[in-house]
Amino acid sequence: MGRDFRWLLASSWTSNVGDGVALAAAPLLIASMTSSPILVASGAILQFLPWLLFGLHAGAIADRFDRRRLVMFANAARAVVLAALCVFLVTGTANIGIVLAVAFLYGTAEVFVDTAGSTLLPMIVQPADLGTGNARLQAGYLVANQFAGPPLGAFLFAAGTAWPFLLEIVCVSLAVVLISRMARTPVPPRGETGARTAVHTDIAEGIRWLWRNPPVRMLVIIILAFNITWAAPWGVLVLYATEHLDLGAVGYGMLTTASAAGGLLATFSFGWLERHISFAALMRIVLTMEVLMHLAFALTSIGWVALVIMFFFGAYAFVWGTISTTVRQRLVPAELQGRVASVNMVGVFGGMVIGQALGGVIAETWGLTAPWWFAFAGAALTLVLVWRPISQIVSAKPVMEETTEVQSSNEP
């Protein structure tokens, strides 16, 4: 896939190790300070809220500057925020307010990392290789973020509250060094005149393009709807695992590990699936499994059963993430990749904010399994509505042709 792809892959994997550590450690830190489902869910909400505030601006900025350097600067900012948190933890001055503020600042930097980072792959590989490239990046996410990171984060948290965040600083800093080894990515073209326009004008241009492109528009709507239903129980998953399933802190980390194990199975199977099953059929299959898994979580109170369910959740979630990203990248022009990706991510994290807010209130009112029932009903209704439009999304003609030029420095 080329030298630049290898540096991108290495940076992504390394960063995901740190993020996976925090995936378990951050909720455990918040849960150690409060037992309120609303406050626990607020930790995730404040990390994702920046997508609603700054997501569209991050997309416009990614389409203006060197996207590789933007990822480097934003990751460096994440390291600084984590260092401040470690100081509060080591000195014993940390409280729930400080932790929630850190979640917000960290999430703000992550907006720019994820937006700019999502535009790099189409710039360094051929369109036909996007599926393979996304699968390998997703595999790194599963291994590092979901499989290796969470158990390590839970273990380190048990040893000392600051240790997992110190390790995350090392990982994020190393990710900056690795991506700096990539060749400088060209600044995206700015249209026929090349004139600099206002940020809000660029944002409006990206939104107009997306709205006038029915396949991409429908894909973003599907992602928004399913993230609302998915995030409702996920925001209180730490309480569901520790109180409803009695799994404890390490058992909570094992849930995300089980999800990653399922994703790894899908990683090895994705090439075969891509060759033998249409994207439309795969999208319908995985969204149907989403509905069934919510129902299964609502019905079980046994820890090992939940681990099995989470395994299959990870398998179909990997397939969905790879397909939806590949389809979007193939349908969006290079100069709009940042803005359209940002709208997509606003849908992803906007759905999470809405869903987690609902989940916290639902769990507080009706118990820890109630968010799963809400997710089951909402996902089932959404699936019925989007069943037919999925074919239109997949059959849309890609804007990127096989003759797309790849940088000469990226040749293997």
Side-chain angles (χ1 to χ4, degrees):
M1 300 281 288
R3 183 189 65 189
D4 283 350
F5 176 75
R6 290 192 289 272
W7 287 121
L8 175 63
L9 190 66
S11 177
S12 176
W13 278 52
T14 303
S15 177
N16 273 303
V17 171
D19 290 342
V21 167
L23 187 65
L28 290 171
L29 177 61
I30 294 174
S32 70
M33 296 180 174
T34 178
S35 60
S36 168
I38 293 179
L39 285 178
V40 171
S42 295
I45 291 172
L46 287 176
Q47 186 175 348
F48 299 141
L49 181 62
W51 279 103
L52 301 182
L53 302 177
F54 312 118
L56 297 179
H57 290 80
I61 291 172
D63 286 342
R64 284 171 173 252
F65 301 105
D66 184 330
R67 292 157 171 172
R68 177 187 63 96
R69 289 190 175 183
L70 185 56
V71 173
M72 292 168 57
F73 291 146
N75 265 329
R78 292 204 296 172
V80 171
V81 171
L82 289 170
L85 174 62
C86 289
V87 171
F88 286 117
L89 292 174
V90 171
T91 59
T93 56
N95 55 47
I96 188 65
I98 289 174
V99 173
L100 293 179
V102 166
F104 177 78
L105 293 174
Y106 185 90
T108 299
E110 194 168 30
V111 168
F112 292 88
V113 173
D114 290 346
T115 300
S118 68
T119 68
L120 293 175
L121 184 64
M123 301 177 72
I124 61 176
V125 304
Q126 295 286 352
D129 293 328
L130 282 174
T132 301
N134 279 309
R136 293 181 184 179
L137 289 170
Q138 283 284 329
Y141 169 79
L142 289 168
V143 172
N145 190 292
Q146 302 286 298
F147 190 79
L152 180 59
F155 174 79
L156 290 174
F157 183 83
T161 56
W163 285 113
F165 305 103
L166 287 170
L167 177 60
E168 189 177 7
I169 293 173
V170 173
C171 292
V172 172
S173 300
L174 181 57
V176 174
V177 175
L178 290 169
I179 204 169
S180 71
R181 303 297 298 167
M182 286 179 58
R184 180 174 179 177
T185 54
V187 177
R190 302 199 54 79
E192 296 181 359
T193 64
R196 176 78 63 178
T197 55
V199 170
H200 66 83
T201 301
D202 290 352
I203 292 173
E205 180 186 5
I207 294 175
R208 281 196 303 270
W209 182 93
L210 187 148
W211 186 253
R212 294 168 181 172
N213 190 293
V216 180
R217 183 181 68 216
M218 179 55 66
L219 184 61
V220 171
I221 292 173
I222 291 174
I223 291 172
L224 170 63
F226 273 92
N227 270 281
I228 291 175
T229 56
W230 169 80
W234 210 262
V236 293
L237 183 64
V238 62
L239 297 180
Y240 173 83
T242 56
E243 297 181 12
H244 180 72
L245 300 177
D246 294 322
L247 289 176
V250 176
Y252 166 68
M254 289 176 62
L255 279 176
T256 53
T257 302
S259 173
L264 286 177
L265 174 63
T267 299
F268 297 119
S269 305
F270 186 79
W272 184 92
L273 293 172
E274 188 176 21
R275 290 190 302 270
H276 293 85
I277 305 176
S278 70
F279 272 12
L282 283 174
M283 292 173 79
R284 292 188 178 106
I285 290 170
V286 297
L287 294 181
T288 299
M289 292 184 67
E290 173 97 350
V291 174
L292 296 177
M293 294 304 157
H294 288 321
L295 176 62
F297 275 120
L299 293 173
T300 190
S301 59
I302 303 172
W304 70 265
V305 173
L307 290 172
V308 172
I309 298 170
M310 193 64 79
F311 175 86
F312 289 102
F313 170 87
Y316 75 75
F318 170 85
V319 176
W320 168 260
T322 302
I323 291 175
S324 61
T325 301
T326 300
V327 169
R328 189 191 75 246
Q329 289 175 340
R330 288 175 177 172
L331 296 177
V332 178
E335 65 272 16
L336 288 168
Q337 286 279 349
R339 280 165 284 179
V340 175
S342 71
V343 175
N344 179 74
M345 295 300 287
V346 167
V348 169
F349 291 103
M352 288 183 180
V353 170
I354 296 170
Q356 288 171 344
L358 289 173
V361 174
I362 292 171
E364 186 96 30
T365 306
W366 291 290
L368 293 174
T369 60
W372 293 110
W373 288 107
F374 166 80
F376 164 67
L381 177 61
T382 304
L383 179 59
V384 171
L385 296 175
V386 304
W387 188 270
R388 294 186 64 182
I390 285 175
S391 295
Q392 300 171 359
I393 295 172
V394 175
S395 62
K397 182 180 178 180
V399 297
M400 300 166 59
E401 300 297 334
E402 292 294 333
T403 55
T404 298
E405 181 179 350
V406 179
Q407 297 175 23
S408 59
S409 62
N410 190 43
E411 291 299 324

